Amino acid sequence: MSEPLPAGVDEGPAEGPGEGTGEGPCLAAIRSRDMVIAQDLDADDRWTSWSQRVRGAGVHGVLSVPLDIDERVIGGLTLYAAQPQTFTPDVQLTTLLVAEHAGPLLAAVLDRGRLAGLAAELADALSSGEAVNRAIGIVMAQRGCGAEDALDVLRQASTRLRVPLTEVADRLVTAIASRSG
């Protein structure tokens, strides 16, 4: 059964009085890229200020494993125990397996976010490309020139006005549409 994390267990950098110590088993697991276990914090002399604070919050054992995505450690999975000697070999193995599976799941979530961003960028680029193509057609009709010459005209306008080509194209298409509407 899981319970809320006791106050004062955070290992992160201090943001105020009594917050974070910059030491602890999770940070040690991240740094070493290996499982870190303290079966009995009363008998463990690592992370003295952190251990003292968490023992006061009722934590007497801790197990931390790093979480990897593509060979990069991105965080840690930490279990806290209210009693010493809680982390049996089965619990240790299960924690390692959970961490091994969590990494690829987190990577998939991050990839999904990246793919959504790429899809939005692609849609934006396609709509911008559509405006550029329309603007090329307008310049071709107005000047009686080919597509490459029309694109050169738009590029020159973009350079002179110091605005992106897509903005020049959008302005031209909008101006023509407002005249014919």
Side-chain angles (χ1 to χ4, degrees), residues 13-124:
E15 295 177 11
E19 291 185 36
T21 61
E23 66 170 13
C26 187
L27 292 174
I30 290 169
R31 289 181 188 122
S32 69
R33 297 188 70 145
D34 202 2
M35 178 172 44
V36 172
I37 187 166
Q39 289 282 12
D40 185 355
L41 289 175
D42 289 328
D44 198 302
D45 60 356
R46 299 174 286 178
W47 329 296
T48 53
S49 62
W50 179 85
S51 292
Q52 184 178 18
R53 191 174 69 241
V54 300
R55 282 193 318 265
V59 174
H60 294 282
V62 64
L63 170 65
S64 292
V65 293
L67 291 174
D68 295 336
I69 293 181
D70 300 329
E71 303 301 318
R72 279 187 19 236
V73 177
I74 60 150
L77 172 63
T78 303
L79 304 180
Y80 299 95
Q83 300 297 320
Q85 307 302 324
T86 301
F87 302 114
T88 64
D90 286 345
V91 170
Q92 294 173 40
L93 178 61
T94 301
T95 304
L96 284 172
L97 292 173
V98 168
E100 284 295 315
H101 286 86
L105 289 173
L106 291 170
V109 169
L110 292 173
D111 284 345
R112 178 177 272 182
R114 280 186 233 140
L115 289 175
L118 287 174
E121 287 178 26
L122 180 58
D124 212 21

